[in-house]
Amino acid sequence: MNPIVTVEDHMKTEAAKVVGQKIRLDSLPSALNVGLLKKLINAGDAVYFTFLGGPVSDEDGARVNGRFDAYVIVRHVGDWEARRRGDTTTIGAYEIVSRLVKQLHDSVVTDIGSIKAKRVSNLFSIQLEEAYGAALYAITFEVPDMPFLYEADLDAMDDFITFDAQHDIPPHETDAEHQDWLQEPPDYTDSQPDAQDTVTDLNQ
């Protein structure tokens, strides 16, 4: 599994434990822009996670101090205070931010590392909030020394049905002749390998 995907999935899973079912949890491909923001606000209250990169070191393999931001969007039919503080029926942005920081800070992602909360930012001015009718906050998290691991997905690989090897030890023929042997069917017109192995039905 890709470590970036693993961390994003972990953050969404942990967030779901504390923000309630009415808050949408999803991921974004990049930082917010105005065009995307308009669409997201219309989708309702939500938390969106996105990977924003980070510096890479080559100590003990490639590792990155991965930055992951959580965008908290809260709409409310009331005023700016209700959006931030909530009321008897709706959770506010302050409460969502507090819960996410508490839940995710020092949370351990298996085989990856620990998540650290680094910064909380208010992304809306009064003018923008009045225009969009929503509160928007960003929580910056970091996963220090996140390793770039690679594991082949064996389930996605085709069955290994046939193994074919041709031997010329020590090599007496030219590379051109070896290429002739690798054709389908093999071309043995001018030379032949000293030995040949063919194994079939290896998927049995």
Side-chain angles (χ1 to χ4, degrees), residues 80-81 83-84 122-134:
W80 65 267
E81 185 171 0
R83 295 176 194 124
R84 285 168 167 76
N122 184 350
L123 300 184
F124 265 7
S125 65
I126 293 297
Q127 291 82 3
L128 285 173
E129 183 168 349
E130 290 177 348
Y132 290 105

Side-chain angles (χ1 to χ4, degrees), residues 113-165:
S114 296
I115 298 173
K116 302 294 182 181
K118 291 295 184 179
R119 181 181 177 85
V120 177
S121 303
N122 184 350
L123 300 184
F124 265 7
S125 65
I126 293 297
Q127 291 82 3
L128 285 173
E129 183 168 349
E130 290 177 348
Y132 290 105
L136 173 62
Y137 286 81
I139 312 170
T140 296
F141 296 94
E142 185 178 90
V143 182
D145 294 324
M146 184 175 73
F148 279 113
L149 306 174
Y150 174 78
E151 293 183 6
D153 184 0
L154 299 181
D155 292 334
M157 298 178 66
D158 293 334
D159 291 333
F160 186 28
I161 298 175
T162 301
F163 169 79
D164 181 71

Side-chain angles (χ1 to χ4, degrees), residues 42-116:
N42 290 333
D45 298 349
V47 178
Y48 297 96
F49 296 95
T50 184
F51 173 65
L52 295 179
V56 177
S57 69
D58 60 359
E59 294 181 7
D60 191 26
R63 292 176 178 269
V64 61
N65 289 337
R67 175 181 169 179
F68 295 82
D69 277 18
Y71 296 110
V72 178
I73 298 176
V74 175
R75 299 185 65 187
H76 198 286
V77 294
D79 57 14
W80 65 267
E81 185 171 0
R83 295 176 194 124
R84 285 168 167 76
R85 297 190 176 189
D87 56 21
T88 57
T89 61
T90 306
I91 187 173
Y94 288 164
E95 185 65 23
I96 295 175
V97 169
S98 297
R99 293 184 186 186
L100 290 175
V101 170
K102 182 177 181 181
Q103 184 71 13
L104 291 172
H105 182 67
D106 285 335
S107 178
V108 176
V109 185
T110 304
D111 297 328
I112 301 296
S114 296
I115 298 173
K116 302 294 182 181

Side-chain angles (χ1 to χ4, degrees), residues 9-21:
D9 289 347
H10 176 89
M11 297 179 82
K12 286 188 287 187
T13 298
E14 292 300 308
K17 298 176 182 179
V18 296
V19 300
Q21 297 181 350

